[in-house]
Amino acid sequence: VKREVTNGVNMNIDHRILYVLCLLSVLHTGYANAEGATTQNDLRKKIEMAAAAEIESSKTPSLQISVGKGDKIIFEGAYGLADIENNVIANSMSKYRTASVAKWFTATAAMRLSANGSLDLDAPIQKYCPEFPAKGTPITARQLLTHTAGIRGYFDYEKELSETKDKAETERLQIRKLQEEASFYTRYVDVIKPLDTFKDDPVIFTPGTDWEYTSFGYRVLACVMQGAAKMDYRQLMQDLVFTPANMLSTELDDAWKIIPGRVSGYHIDRAEPLRRANMRDVSENLPAGGYLSTSSDLVRFALTFNQSLVSEDVKAQMTMPARSLKMDTDTAKSWRDAMPSADKYGYGIMLFSKYEDGMIGHTGRQDGGSAIVILNPKSDLAIAIMTNAKGWNGYLDLAMKIKDIVDHSVQ
């Protein structure tokens, strides 16, 4: 039986201590393939200072940062506390929640299945996933990949309940709310059973006519991929993504398993003290955000994606906006640029051209964790940042600070 973490736990913590730990944790930081000691020391010191400043300003417990170029990890480091209550210092092997960065993993595997002829992206999905009922207008894997299938996302039950006056409708919504919340605390061992939460709901728009970001759509995609490959989703991800990318530290975020290096999760609210994260078993959301990983593994994935996981033609397809909209590259930069939007989303990939022409990647936010990985395909440079707190908004701001440091330190 799982006990819900009390939301009101007061985690009083002196962030000056975290600042010092951030600097001390260089002892747990690995550096590889430096072209020269002076250059590497300069890179190390500048990234350390950027990490320390971010921890001090954002109050996030820890940061794990990696940088890769070509076929090398040129920097990896961790700063702050992986577990505040037990004073465990984060290191480069600490494992954090990927959250929605996993969508890029799943999309890549789907496109590899399409490339080898196993998956028809434009066939009705019931060809591969009969467990998901037809909705009148056919839904395709392409639409699932691009969030244009009309499958709903997380429902704002509190808002609906506050606006509903009908007693029967109120009771119906309350039951649905309890059913959906129960899935947050259930350990699933396949990708079919989690569909029960929403599979009988109507689509929110005619498939292919609009865009709505949804993790539920990627849960259906996993069922489709499993049927197309005639292989368990977990195994096909290992074969098509994790093994080719040498992602040895990436695994299922299994709530029952003892996983060395798994960080403790926290929640940041600027108006309240830091507290433990809400309880969440992410097994129901595996294809969209149910993995643990390291920042170095995220970098390995991004670089291998760029070099060999998919062809150049497929890469070009995946990095085109899903909807024919003008991409926003002119408005002021904001932390909200790290949130998916119709004009800046392709096939499981977010488009960050506002920050640098052609730059791609993905972000993730989930109870107990936040993450970002960015990739410049032209320079073959990737940067990943992970933290053990939801509510951290440093995403692109810190990633671009680190990129600027790298650009001026590494030739």
Side-chain angles (χ1 to χ4, degrees), residues 237-249:
M237 290 301 296
Q238 190 65 48
D239 293 350
L240 295 178
V241 177
F242 303 142
T243 295
N246 198 31
M247 298 168 69
L248 302 180
S249 297

Side-chain angles (χ1 to χ4, degrees), residues 125-146:
I125 60 174
Q126 285 72 29
K127 176 180 179 180
Y128 308 109
C129 180
E131 295 86 352
F132 191 80
K135 301 298 178 184
T137 303
I139 293 173
T140 68
R142 192 183 305 277
Q143 292 164 348
L144 295 174
L145 281 160
T146 57

Side-chain angles (χ1 to χ4, degrees), residues 161-178:
L161 284 167
S162 68
E163 296 174 354
T164 299
K165 306 301 181 184
D166 181 76
K167 182 179 180 181
E169 177 64 7
T170 296
E171 290 179 355
R172 187 189 73 85
L173 285 171
Q174 288 173 333
I175 292 170
R176 289 294 306 276
K177 179 174 180 287
L178 289 172

Side-chain angles (χ1 to χ4, degrees), residues 266-404:
Y266 301 92
H267 182 90
I268 298 171
D269 184 331
R270 301 305 170 94
E272 301 290 338
L274 185 74
R275 64 168 173 84
R276 286 182 54 82
N278 293 347
M279 173 59 193
R280 177 74 186 275
D281 186 319
V282 295
S283 58
E284 37 82 49
N285 203 39
L286 177 62
Y291 291 97
L292 294 171
S293 191
T294 64
S295 57
S296 289
D297 261 15
L298 298 190
V299 165
R300 290 185 186 97
F301 166 75
L303 293 176
T304 309
F305 171 85
N306 196 39
Q307 297 160 12
S308 60
L309 282 179
V310 297
S311 69
E312 289 299 317
D313 287 344
V314 170
K315 194 192 306 179
Q317 186 178 16
M318 292 180 73
T319 54
M320 289 291 292
R323 300 283 290 158
S324 299
L325 302 171
K326 182 183 182 299
M327 187 183 298
D328 171 25
T329 57
D330 303 321
T331 60
K333 294 174 180 176
S334 161
W335 72 268
R336 294 187 181 278
D337 293 329
M339 303 297 106
S341 62
D343 65 314
K344 298 188 285 291
Y345 205 97
Y347 289 57
I349 296 176
M350 297 174 67
L351 314 176
F352 297 129
S353 289
K354 177 189 281 190
Y355 288 77
E356 186 168 284
D357 185 45
M359 192 172 81
I360 61 175
H362 214 293
T363 60
R365 59 191 290 135
Q366 192 173 61
D367 291 320
S370 302
I372 180 171
V373 55
I374 61 172
L375 168 69
N376 183 317
K378 295 177 183 176
S379 63
D380 209 15
L381 175 72
I383 296 168
I385 305 167
M386 306 186 83
T387 184
N388 52 335
K390 183 178 182 180
W392 177 70
N393 293 329
Y395 299 105
L396 284 160
D397 181 60
L398 181 58
M400 294 311 291
K401 286 177 182 176
I402 292 170
K403 186 179 183 304
D404 185 62

